[in-house]
Amino acid sequence: MKLCVALDLPSAKENLDLAKILKSEDIWLKIGLRSYIRDGKPLLEKLKAISPHFKLFLDLKIHDIPNTMADAAESMANLGVDMFNIHASSGKKAMSMVMDRLSGVQNPPLVLAVTALTSFDESSFAAIYGESIDNKVSQFSKDAYESGLNGVVCSVFESNLIKNSTTKNFLTLTPGIRPFGESAGDQKRVADLVTAKNEQSDFIVVGRPIYQSNDPLGVTQKILENI
Ligand code: C5P
């Protein structure tokens, strides 16, 4: 299991300061829409310069027509990131075209599919997709697997289920982790490290329990010792 730290701080400086504190650790860093739109490629370069151990996950959740997605995938690969994500609801053709395009790239990044955004409840989800979240997550995961993606972003409670319906090696990346039972904040369904391990999550995403702590390095090291 790998630890992915969410760089969700309000400025590039604060994100870079956190990265400097964590530079000795073998971790992934998640850069989301807000940070990437604001700070762009220079932020990625500065993070890589802080530590060669860092792996970068660009969390932009791409969703567009197949050709545009394949172009965007190539651009993201050229940024030198180690992983990015796209929406499974963009469809199998778009997902396959993304993977085809990356087959021509040296050291292609891992590609994950977003299944169901956790901000949906059953009724708001059904209003768009016309199905239950569970059914659709299974179908999206199968679609992503058959399209050659490396894995999915999902709730920790769906990880085992997804592996059972695809393969053990199909990666799951799970946000909403409160490693040692910290405050959930706005997350609805949180899980600790023991649960994430039992659910065979490959990547856990942790934000606030690290960057809001008085000792981000200490918390990070404690998580790494326990995974
Ligand atoms: O601070 P916290 O650990 O809750 O941060 C979780 C990170 O994972 C945030 O960047 C959040 O946007 C992201 N995320 C999530 N749930 C999803 C997808 C992404 O919490 N379903």
Side-chain angles (χ1 to χ4, degrees):
M1 190 192 289
K2 301 276 181 203
L3 170 62
C4 186
V5 179
L7 294 184
D8 287 335
L9 287 156
S11 68
K13 182 180 181 311
E14 286 160 282
N15 281 329
L16 288 165
D17 285 347
L18 176 63
K20 281 177 200 156
I21 292 172
L22 304 180
K23 72 176 183 199
S24 55
E25 306 307 312
D26 186 10
I27 54 176
W28 287 67
L29 300 174
K30 181 173 93 68
I31 300 99
L33 275 171
R34 177 198 200 186
S35 296
Y36 189 70
I37 288 171
R38 185 187 58 212
D39 305 318
K41 189 177 178 189
L43 174 66
L44 305 180
E45 290 167 347
K46 285 175 196 161
L47 290 169
K48 280 279 187 188
I50 290 172
S51 165
H53 300 293
F54 288 155
K55 301 263 191 192
L56 304 185
F57 167 33
L58 192 56
D59 177 21
L60 302 185
K61 303 184 180 72
I62 299 294
H63 188 172
D64 210 311
I65 59 172
N67 188 61
T68 303
M69 285 183 58
D71 289 344
E74 193 175 348
S75 297
M76 287 190 282
N78 289 336
L79 288 172
V81 298
D82 303 283
M83 181 158 70
F84 67 82
N85 56 4
I86 64 180
H87 270 280
S89 58
S90 58
K92 287 178 85 172
K93 179 163 183 220
M95 289 195 279
S96 301
M97 271 184 70
V98 162
M99 299 317 285
D100 280 352
R101 185 69 68 85
L102 293 182
S103 63
V105 169
Q106 240 190 342
N107 300 322
L110 297 171
V111 185
L112 304 182
V114 176
T115 54
L117 294 172
T118 45
S119 49
F120 283 122
D121 59 18
E122 285 292 346
S123 77
S124 56
F125 189 83
I128 297 174
Y129 297 101
E131 262 193 79
S132 73
I133 294 177
D134 271 3
N135 282 349
K136 207 67 191 173
V137 165
S138 296
Q139 192 214 311
F140 279 155
S141 302
K142 213 166 140 265
D143 289 350
Y145 176 69
E146 288 171 3
S147 305
L149 269 73
N150 304 100
V152 289
V153 182
C154 63
S155 141
V156 71
F157 302 101
E158 291 149 6
S159 175
N160 260 332
L161 207 74
I162 288 169
K163 284 176 182 284
N164 290 339
S165 63
T166 56
T167 76
K168 209 160 77 46
N169 300 330
F170 193 57
L171 303 171
T172 56
L173 176 139
T174 60
I177 302 297
R178 294 296 175 261
F180 308 105
E182 297 89 337
S183 151
D186 62 347
Q187 297 280 14
K188 296 283 181 265
R189 295 202 299 157
V190 299
D192 60 13
L193 285 186
V194 175
T195 310
K197 266 196 231 175
N198 288 341
E199 287 285 332
Q200 303 182 70
S201 173
D202 296 289
F203 291 89
I204 52 165
V205 179
V206 184
R208 284 163 287 186
I210 291 176
Y211 67 72
Q212 286 183 347
S213 147
N214 293 329
D215 179 16
L217 178 61
V219 176
T220 301
Q221 288 173 332
K222 195 170 159 205
I223 295 170
L224 292 171
E225 279 160 25
N226 282 278
I227 59 179

mmCIF file of all heavy atoms in Angstrom, residues 4-8 30-32 57 59 61 85 114-119 153-155 173-179 183-187 190 205-212, ligand 1:
data_model
loop_
_atom_site.group_PDB
_atom_site.id
_atom_site.type_symbol
_atom_site.label_atom_id
_atom_site.label_comp_id
_atom_site.label_asym_id
_atom_site.label_seq_id
_atom_site.Cartn_x
_atom_site.Cartn_y
_atom_site.Cartn_z
ATOM 1 N N CYS A 4 -0.579 8.511 -0.447
ATOM 2 C CA CYS A 4 -0.676 9.647 -1.353
ATOM 3 C C CYS A 4 -1.170 10.845 -0.540
ATOM 4 O O CYS A 4 -2.281 10.822 -0.023
ATOM 5 C CB CYS A 4 -1.660 9.267 -2.465
ATOM 6 S SG CYS A 4 -1.777 10.472 -3.755
ATOM 7 N N VAL A 5 -0.318 11.851 -0.410
ATOM 8 C CA VAL A 5 -0.670 13.021 0.405
ATOM 9 C C VAL A 5 -1.339 14.067 -0.487
ATOM 10 O O VAL A 5 -0.779 14.454 -1.519
ATOM 11 C CB VAL A 5 0.590 13.618 1.071
ATOM 12 C CG1 VAL A 5 0.236 14.848 1.899
ATOM 13 C CG2 VAL A 5 1.282 12.569 1.940
ATOM 14 N N ALA A 6 -2.541 14.500 -0.087
ATOM 15 C CA ALA A 6 -3.269 15.501 -0.879
ATOM 16 C C ALA A 6 -2.699 16.888 -0.591
ATOM 17 O O ALA A 6 -2.708 17.347 0.556
ATOM 18 C CB ALA A 6 -4.755 15.452 -0.517
ATOM 19 N N LEU A 7 -2.190 17.538 -1.629
ATOM 20 C CA LEU A 7 -1.675 18.905 -1.476
ATOM 21 C C LEU A 7 -2.829 19.879 -1.702
ATOM 22 O O LEU A 7 -2.987 20.442 -2.776
ATOM 23 C CB LEU A 7 -0.546 19.172 -2.487
ATOM 24 C CG LEU A 7 0.734 18.365 -2.307
ATOM 25 C CD1 LEU A 7 1.786 18.802 -3.318
ATOM 26 C CD2 LEU A 7 1.289 18.476 -0.886
ATOM 27 N N ASP A 8 -3.642 20.049 -0.691
ATOM 28 C CA ASP A 8 -4.859 20.860 -0.801
ATOM 29 C C ASP A 8 -4.735 22.193 -0.070
ATOM 30 O O ASP A 8 -5.743 22.788 0.310
ATOM 31 C CB ASP A 8 -6.059 20.091 -0.212
ATOM 32 C CG ASP A 8 -6.500 18.941 -1.110
ATOM 33 O OD1 ASP A 8 -6.241 19.000 -2.324
ATOM 34 O OD2 ASP A 8 -7.116 17.984 -0.592
ATOM 35 N N LYS A 30 -0.642 14.272 -4.310
ATOM 36 C CA LYS A 30 -1.813 14.475 -5.181
ATOM 37 C C LYS A 30 -2.014 15.967 -5.420
ATOM 38 O O LYS A 30 -2.209 16.742 -4.493
ATOM 39 C CB LYS A 30 -3.062 13.884 -4.524
ATOM 40 C CG LYS A 30 -4.313 14.030 -5.384
ATOM 41 C CD LYS A 30 -5.496 13.289 -4.767
ATOM 42 C CE LYS A 30 -6.356 14.136 -3.875
ATOM 43 N NZ LYS A 30 -7.116 15.193 -4.551
ATOM 44 N N ILE A 31 -1.953 16.339 -6.709
ATOM 45 C CA ILE A 31 -2.166 17.741 -7.093
ATOM 46 C C ILE A 31 -3.511 17.813 -7.790
ATOM 47 O O ILE A 31 -3.729 17.161 -8.817
ATOM 48 C CB ILE A 31 -1.049 18.221 -8.051
ATOM 49 C CG1 ILE A 31 0.316 18.098 -7.374
ATOM 50 C CG2 ILE A 31 -1.290 19.675 -8.499
ATOM 51 C CD1 ILE A 31 1.079 16.889 -7.755
ATOM 52 N N GLY A 32 -4.437 18.583 -7.221
ATOM 53 C CA GLY A 32 -5.796 18.641 -7.753
ATOM 54 C C GLY A 32 -6.017 19.838 -8.665
ATOM 55 O O GLY A 32 -5.099 20.616 -8.954
ATOM 56 N N PHE A 57 0.715 12.503 -8.608
ATOM 57 C CA PHE A 57 -0.604 12.082 -9.107
ATOM 58 C C PHE A 57 -1.382 13.358 -9.462
ATOM 59 O O PHE A 57 -1.728 14.146 -8.582
ATOM 60 C CB PHE A 57 -1.315 11.279 -8.008
ATOM 61 C CG PHE A 57 -2.789 11.032 -8.243
ATOM 62 C CD1 PHE A 57 -3.311 10.865 -9.525
ATOM 63 C CD2 PHE A 57 -3.667 10.951 -7.161
ATOM 64 C CE1 PHE A 57 -4.674 10.642 -9.733
ATOM 65 C CE2 PHE A 57 -5.029 10.722 -7.353
ATOM 66 C CZ PHE A 57 -5.537 10.576 -8.655
ATOM 67 N N ASP A 59 -4.595 14.969 -10.310
ATOM 68 C CA ASP A 59 -6.007 14.607 -10.077
ATOM 69 C C ASP A 59 -6.912 15.627 -10.772
ATOM 70 O O ASP A 59 -7.510 16.476 -10.133
ATOM 71 C CB ASP A 59 -6.233 14.585 -8.555
ATOM 72 C CG ASP A 59 -7.670 14.286 -8.163
ATOM 73 O OD1 ASP A 59 -8.417 13.723 -8.978
ATOM 74 O OD2 ASP A 59 -8.038 14.629 -7.018
ATOM 75 N N LYS A 61 -9.313 14.617 -13.208
ATOM 76 C CA LYS A 61 -10.593 13.960 -13.538
ATOM 77 C C LYS A 61 -11.115 14.382 -14.912
ATOM 78 O O LYS A 61 -12.187 14.992 -15.044
ATOM 79 C CB LYS A 61 -11.656 14.250 -12.469
ATOM 80 C CG LYS A 61 -11.250 13.835 -11.056
ATOM 81 C CD LYS A 61 -12.382 14.061 -10.072
ATOM 82 C CE LYS A 61 -12.022 13.657 -8.657
ATOM 83 N NZ LYS A 61 -11.065 14.553 -7.988
ATOM 84 N N ASN A 85 -5.940 10.808 -13.639
ATOM 85 C CA ASN A 85 -7.239 10.120 -13.671
ATOM 86 C C ASN A 85 -8.188 10.732 -14.694
ATOM 87 O O ASN A 85 -8.026 11.888 -15.114
ATOM 88 C CB ASN A 85 -7.875 10.044 -12.283
ATOM 89 C CG ASN A 85 -8.037 11.395 -11.622
ATOM 90 O OD1 ASN A 85 -7.749 12.428 -12.205
ATOM 91 N ND2 ASN A 85 -8.485 11.394 -10.391
ATOM 92 N N VAL A 114 -12.199 7.480 -12.431
ATOM 93 C CA VAL A 114 -13.097 7.875 -11.358
ATOM 94 C C VAL A 114 -14.411 7.137 -11.592
ATOM 95 O O VAL A 114 -14.956 7.177 -12.701
ATOM 96 C CB VAL A 114 -13.341 9.400 -11.382
ATOM 97 C CG1 VAL A 114 -14.354 9.809 -10.318
ATOM 98 C CG2 VAL A 114 -12.030 10.153 -11.221
ATOM 99 N N THR A 115 -14.910 6.458 -10.582
ATOM 100 C CA THR A 115 -16.174 5.718 -10.730
ATOM 101 C C THR A 115 -17.335 6.646 -10.335
ATOM 102 O O THR A 115 -17.845 7.360 -11.189
ATOM 103 C CB THR A 115 -16.153 4.430 -9.900
ATOM 104 O OG1 THR A 115 -15.830 4.749 -8.543
ATOM 105 C CG2 THR A 115 -15.154 3.429 -10.458
ATOM 106 N N ALA A 116 -17.728 6.661 -9.067
ATOM 107 C CA ALA A 116 -18.798 7.563 -8.616
ATOM 108 C C ALA A 116 -18.191 8.604 -7.687
ATOM 109 O O ALA A 116 -17.500 8.241 -6.728
ATOM 110 C CB ALA A 116 -19.868 6.785 -7.877
ATOM 111 N N LEU A 117 -18.453 9.865 -7.956
ATOM 112 C CA LEU A 117 -17.988 10.908 -7.033
ATOM 113 C C LEU A 117 -18.701 10.713 -5.694
ATOM 114 O O LEU A 117 -19.912 10.450 -5.663
ATOM 115 C CB LEU A 117 -18.301 12.293 -7.593
ATOM 116 C CG LEU A 117 -17.556 12.676 -8.868
ATOM 117 C CD1 LEU A 117 -18.101 14.000 -9.419
ATOM 118 C CD2 LEU A 117 -16.058 12.786 -8.637
ATOM 119 N N THR A 118 -17.957 10.849 -4.615
ATOM 120 C CA THR A 118 -18.563 10.558 -3.304
ATOM 121 C C THR A 118 -19.496 11.668 -2.840
ATOM 122 O O THR A 118 -20.151 11.535 -1.811
ATOM 123 C CB THR A 118 -17.475 10.324 -2.237
ATOM 124 O OG1 THR A 118 -16.499 11.340 -2.386
ATOM 125 C CG2 THR A 118 -16.847 8.976 -2.380
ATOM 126 N N SER A 119 -19.570 12.748 -3.584
ATOM 127 C CA SER A 119 -20.516 13.825 -3.223
ATOM 128 C C SER A 119 -21.959 13.459 -3.590
ATOM 129 O O SER A 119 -22.899 14.096 -3.129
ATOM 130 C CB SER A 119 -20.118 15.121 -3.929
ATOM 131 O OG SER A 119 -19.894 14.870 -5.294
ATOM 132 N N VAL A 153 -10.447 5.029 -8.920
ATOM 133 C CA VAL A 153 -10.604 5.773 -7.674
ATOM 134 C C VAL A 153 -11.947 5.352 -7.101
ATOM 135 O O VAL A 153 -12.957 5.379 -7.818
ATOM 136 C CB VAL A 153 -10.641 7.300 -7.934
ATOM 137 C CG1 VAL A 153 -10.763 8.064 -6.615
ATOM 138 C CG2 VAL A 153 -9.425 7.750 -8.724
ATOM 139 N N CYS A 154 -11.965 4.926 -5.858
ATOM 140 C CA CYS A 154 -13.229 4.432 -5.303
ATOM 141 C C CYS A 154 -13.240 4.606 -3.792
ATOM 142 O O CYS A 154 -12.226 4.961 -3.192
ATOM 143 C CB CYS A 154 -13.410 2.948 -5.653
ATOM 144 S SG CYS A 154 -12.151 1.885 -4.949
ATOM 145 N N SER A 155 -14.388 4.358 -3.209
ATOM 146 C CA SER A 155 -14.472 4.369 -1.754
ATOM 147 C C SER A 155 -13.769 3.111 -1.232
ATOM 148 O O SER A 155 -13.794 2.067 -1.875
ATOM 149 C CB SER A 155 -15.946 4.367 -1.334
ATOM 150 O OG SER A 155 -16.129 3.536 -0.212
ATOM 151 N N LEU A 173 -7.503 3.259 -5.582
ATOM 152 C CA LEU A 173 -7.017 4.433 -4.846
ATOM 153 C C LEU A 173 -8.185 4.987 -4.060
ATOM 154 O O LEU A 173 -9.246 5.269 -4.628
ATOM 155 C CB LEU A 173 -6.457 5.477 -5.820
ATOM 156 C CG LEU A 173 -6.006 6.805 -5.193
ATOM 157 C CD1 LEU A 173 -4.699 7.283 -5.829
ATOM 158 C CD2 LEU A 173 -7.072 7.880 -5.321
ATOM 159 N N THR A 174 -8.010 5.096 -2.755
ATOM 160 C CA THR A 174 -9.151 5.386 -1.895
ATOM 161 C C THR A 174 -8.923 6.618 -1.028
ATOM 162 O O THR A 174 -8.040 6.623 -0.173
ATOM 163 C CB THR A 174 -9.444 4.162 -0.994
ATOM 164 O OG1 THR A 174 -8.297 3.885 -0.191
ATOM 165 C CG2 THR A 174 -9.796 2.945 -1.809
ATOM 166 N N PRO A 175 -9.710 7.681 -1.252
ATOM 167 C CA PRO A 175 -9.696 8.840 -0.349
ATOM 168 C C PRO A 175 -10.582 8.562 0.865
ATOM 169 O O PRO A 175 -11.116 7.463 1.007
ATOM 170 C CB PRO A 175 -10.281 9.970 -1.192
ATOM 171 C CG PRO A 175 -10.602 9.391 -2.529
ATOM 172 C CD PRO A 175 -10.608 7.912 -2.389
ATOM 173 N N GLY A 176 -10.711 9.561 1.715
ATOM 174 C CA GLY A 176 -11.572 9.398 2.902
ATOM 175 C C GLY A 176 -10.900 8.558 3.971
ATOM 176 O O GLY A 176 -11.569 7.856 4.727
ATOM 177 N N ILE A 177 -9.570 8.615 4.032
ATOM 178 C CA ILE A 177 -8.865 7.807 5.035
ATOM 179 C C ILE A 177 -8.533 8.662 6.256
ATOM 180 O O ILE A 177 -7.989 9.759 6.139
ATOM 181 C CB ILE A 177 -7.548 7.229 4.437
ATOM 182 C CG1 ILE A 177 -7.834 6.388 3.187
ATOM 183 C CG2 ILE A 177 -6.790 6.428 5.490
ATOM 184 C CD1 ILE A 177 -8.672 5.148 3.413
ATOM 185 N N ARG A 178 -8.896 8.140 7.409
ATOM 186 C CA ARG A 178 -8.524 8.761 8.683
ATOM 187 C C ARG A 178 -7.685 7.709 9.391
ATOM 188 O O ARG A 178 -8.223 6.827 10.078
ATOM 189 C CB ARG A 178 -9.774 9.148 9.494
ATOM 190 C CG ARG A 178 -10.590 10.260 8.822
ATOM 191 C CD ARG A 178 -9.786 11.557 8.741
ATOM 192 N NE ARG A 178 -10.427 12.635 8.013
ATOM 193 C CZ ARG A 178 -10.160 12.955 6.731
ATOM 194 N NH1 ARG A 178 -9.296 12.262 6.015
ATOM 195 N NH2 ARG A 178 -10.740 13.995 6.167
ATOM 196 N N PRO A 179 -6.343 7.782 9.155
ATOM 197 C CA PRO A 179 -5.456 6.668 9.518
ATOM 198 C C PRO A 179 -5.669 6.110 10.913
ATOM 199 O O PRO A 179 -5.745 4.895 11.105
ATOM 200 C CB PRO A 179 -4.061 7.275 9.358
ATOM 201 C CG PRO A 179 -4.232 8.378 8.369
ATOM 202 C CD PRO A 179 -5.616 8.918 8.572
ATOM 203 N N SER A 183 -10.538 13.194 13.045
ATOM 204 C CA SER A 183 -11.827 13.800 12.699
ATOM 205 C C SER A 183 -12.129 13.627 11.205
ATOM 206 O O SER A 183 -11.257 13.801 10.350
ATOM 207 C CB SER A 183 -11.772 15.281 13.073
ATOM 208 O OG SER A 183 -12.617 16.018 12.218
ATOM 209 N N ALA A 184 -13.402 13.316 10.907
ATOM 210 C CA ALA A 184 -13.785 13.025 9.518
ATOM 211 C C ALA A 184 -13.867 14.284 8.664
ATOM 212 O O ALA A 184 -13.805 14.219 7.445
ATOM 213 C CB ALA A 184 -15.124 12.294 9.502
ATOM 214 N N GLY A 185 -14.029 15.471 9.311
ATOM 215 C CA GLY A 185 -14.238 16.690 8.513
ATOM 216 C C GLY A 185 -15.521 16.536 7.716
ATOM 217 O O GLY A 185 -16.540 16.102 8.244
ATOM 218 N N ASP A 186 -15.494 16.866 6.421
ATOM 219 C CA ASP A 186 -16.719 16.765 5.611
ATOM 220 C C ASP A 186 -16.874 15.387 4.964
ATOM 221 O O ASP A 186 -17.811 15.172 4.193
ATOM 222 C CB ASP A 186 -16.734 17.861 4.532
ATOM 223 C CG ASP A 186 -15.573 17.722 3.563
ATOM 224 O OD1 ASP A 186 -14.625 16.952 3.867
ATOM 225 O OD2 ASP A 186 -15.605 18.378 2.517
ATOM 226 N N GLN A 187 -15.969 14.454 5.224
ATOM 227 C CA GLN A 187 -16.069 13.127 4.607
ATOM 228 C C GLN A 187 -17.181 12.335 5.286
ATOM 229 O O GLN A 187 -17.317 12.369 6.509
ATOM 230 C CB GLN A 187 -14.744 12.358 4.739
ATOM 231 C CG GLN A 187 -13.565 13.010 4.030
ATOM 232 C CD GLN A 187 -13.555 12.733 2.542
ATOM 233 O OE1 GLN A 187 -14.543 12.282 1.973
ATOM 234 N NE2 GLN A 187 -12.444 13.023 1.886
ATOM 235 N N VAL A 190 -15.650 7.355 6.208
ATOM 236 C CA VAL A 190 -14.211 7.315 6.405
ATOM 237 C C VAL A 190 -13.772 5.933 6.895
ATOM 238 O O VAL A 190 -14.583 5.165 7.413
ATOM 239 C CB VAL A 190 -13.725 8.393 7.408
ATOM 240 C CG1 VAL A 190 -14.045 9.789 6.902
ATOM 241 C CG2 VAL A 190 -14.318 8.166 8.776
ATOM 242 N N VAL A 205 -5.372 7.981 0.066
ATOM 243 C CA VAL A 205 -5.189 9.431 -0.029
ATOM 244 C C VAL A 205 -5.470 10.029 1.342
ATOM 245 O O VAL A 205 -6.538 9.788 1.918
ATOM 246 C CB VAL A 205 -6.156 10.052 -1.064
ATOM 247 C CG1 VAL A 205 -5.967 11.567 -1.118
ATOM 248 C CG2 VAL A 205 -5.940 9.438 -2.441
ATOM 249 N N VAL A 206 -4.515 10.790 1.847
ATOM 250 C CA VAL A 206 -4.690 11.444 3.149
ATOM 251 C C VAL A 206 -4.329 12.924 2.999
ATOM 252 O O VAL A 206 -3.235 13.248 2.529
ATOM 253 C CB VAL A 206 -3.795 10.797 4.236
ATOM 254 C CG1 VAL A 206 -4.072 11.446 5.600
ATOM 255 C CG2 VAL A 206 -4.010 9.288 4.317
ATOM 256 N N GLY A 207 -5.252 13.780 3.384
ATOM 257 C CA GLY A 207 -5.001 15.216 3.315
ATOM 258 C C GLY A 207 -4.940 15.834 4.697
ATOM 259 O O GLY A 207 -3.885 15.913 5.327
ATOM 260 N N ARG A 208 -6.112 16.241 5.194
ATOM 261 C CA ARG A 208 -6.153 17.000 6.448
ATOM 262 C C ARG A 208 -5.470 16.346 7.646
ATOM 263 O O ARG A 208 -4.808 17.046 8.417
ATOM 264 C CB ARG A 208 -7.609 17.362 6.779
ATOM 265 C CG ARG A 208 -8.105 18.510 5.918
ATOM 266 C CD ARG A 208 -9.596 18.632 5.897
ATOM 267 N NE ARG A 208 -10.216 17.570 5.106
ATOM 268 C CZ ARG A 208 -11.521 17.516 4.825
ATOM 269 N NH1 ARG A 208 -12.325 18.440 5.280
ATOM 270 N NH2 ARG A 208 -11.994 16.527 4.093
ATOM 271 N N PRO A 209 -5.594 15.013 7.844
ATOM 272 C CA PRO A 209 -4.915 14.438 9.014
ATOM 273 C C PRO A 209 -3.404 14.685 8.995
ATOM 274 O O PRO A 209 -2.753 14.670 10.041
ATOM 275 C CB PRO A 209 -5.212 12.936 8.896
ATOM 276 C CG PRO A 209 -6.507 12.880 8.141
ATOM 277 C CD PRO A 209 -6.422 14.013 7.147
ATOM 278 N N ILE A 210 -2.845 14.956 7.799
ATOM 279 C CA ILE A 210 -1.410 15.283 7.728
ATOM 280 C C ILE A 210 -1.189 16.788 7.775
ATOM 281 O O ILE A 210 -0.506 17.299 8.657
ATOM 282 C CB ILE A 210 -0.778 14.660 6.459
ATOM 283 C CG1 ILE A 210 -0.732 13.139 6.592
ATOM 284 C CG2 ILE A 210 0.629 15.237 6.217
ATOM 285 C CD1 ILE A 210 -0.231 12.390 5.381
ATOM 286 N N TYR A 211 -1.832 17.533 6.833
ATOM 287 C CA TYR A 211 -1.435 18.952 6.748
ATOM 288 C C TYR A 211 -2.045 19.817 7.834
ATOM 289 O O TYR A 211 -1.571 20.927 8.063
ATOM 290 C CB TYR A 211 -1.646 19.518 5.336
ATOM 291 C CG TYR A 211 -3.063 19.649 4.830
ATOM 292 C CD1 TYR A 211 -3.933 20.617 5.324
ATOM 293 C CD2 TYR A 211 -3.530 18.816 3.813
ATOM 294 C CE1 TYR A 211 -5.223 20.746 4.843
ATOM 295 C CE2 TYR A 211 -4.827 18.926 3.325
ATOM 296 C CZ TYR A 211 -5.661 19.899 3.850
ATOM 297 O OH TYR A 211 -6.940 20.019 3.370
ATOM 298 N N GLN A 212 -3.072 19.326 8.526
ATOM 299 C CA GLN A 212 -3.603 20.117 9.646
ATOM 300 C C GLN A 212 -2.972 19.706 10.979
ATOM 301 O O GLN A 212 -3.302 20.274 12.023
ATOM 302 C CB GLN A 212 -5.126 19.962 9.745
ATOM 303 C CG GLN A 212 -5.860 20.734 8.647
ATOM 304 C CD GLN A 212 -7.370 20.648 8.767
ATOM 305 O OE1 GLN A 212 -7.903 19.835 9.514
ATOM 306 N NE2 GLN A 212 -8.065 21.465 8.001
HETATM 307 O O1 C5P B 1 -8.394 16.011 3.691
HETATM 308 P P1 C5P B 1 -8.863 14.675 3.156
HETATM 309 O O2 C5P B 1 -7.978 13.532 3.641
HETATM 310 O O3 C5P B 1 -10.317 14.430 3.390
HETATM 311 O O4 C5P B 1 -8.625 14.816 1.589
HETATM 312 C C1 C5P B 1 -9.023 13.857 0.657
HETATM 313 C C2 C5P B 1 -8.623 14.280 -0.713
HETATM 314 O O5 C5P B 1 -9.182 13.334 -1.627
HETATM 315 C C3 C5P B 1 -9.141 15.645 -1.158
HETATM 316 O O6 C5P B 1 -8.188 16.186 -2.075
HETATM 317 C C4 C5P B 1 -10.432 15.308 -1.863
HETATM 318 O O7 C5P B 1 -10.786 16.253 -2.842
HETATM 319 C C5 C5P B 1 -10.067 13.986 -2.527
HETATM 320 N N1 C5P B 1 -11.189 13.133 -2.869
HETATM 321 C C6 C5P B 1 -12.120 12.696 -1.943
HETATM 322 N N2 C5P B 1 -13.142 11.872 -2.324
HETATM 323 C C7 C5P B 1 -13.264 11.483 -3.611
HETATM 324 C C8 C5P B 1 -12.335 11.895 -4.556
HETATM 325 C C9 C5P B 1 -11.300 12.727 -4.149
HETATM 326 O O8 C5P B 1 -12.005 13.027 -0.780
HETATM 327 N N3 C5P B 1 -14.220 10.657 -3.948
#
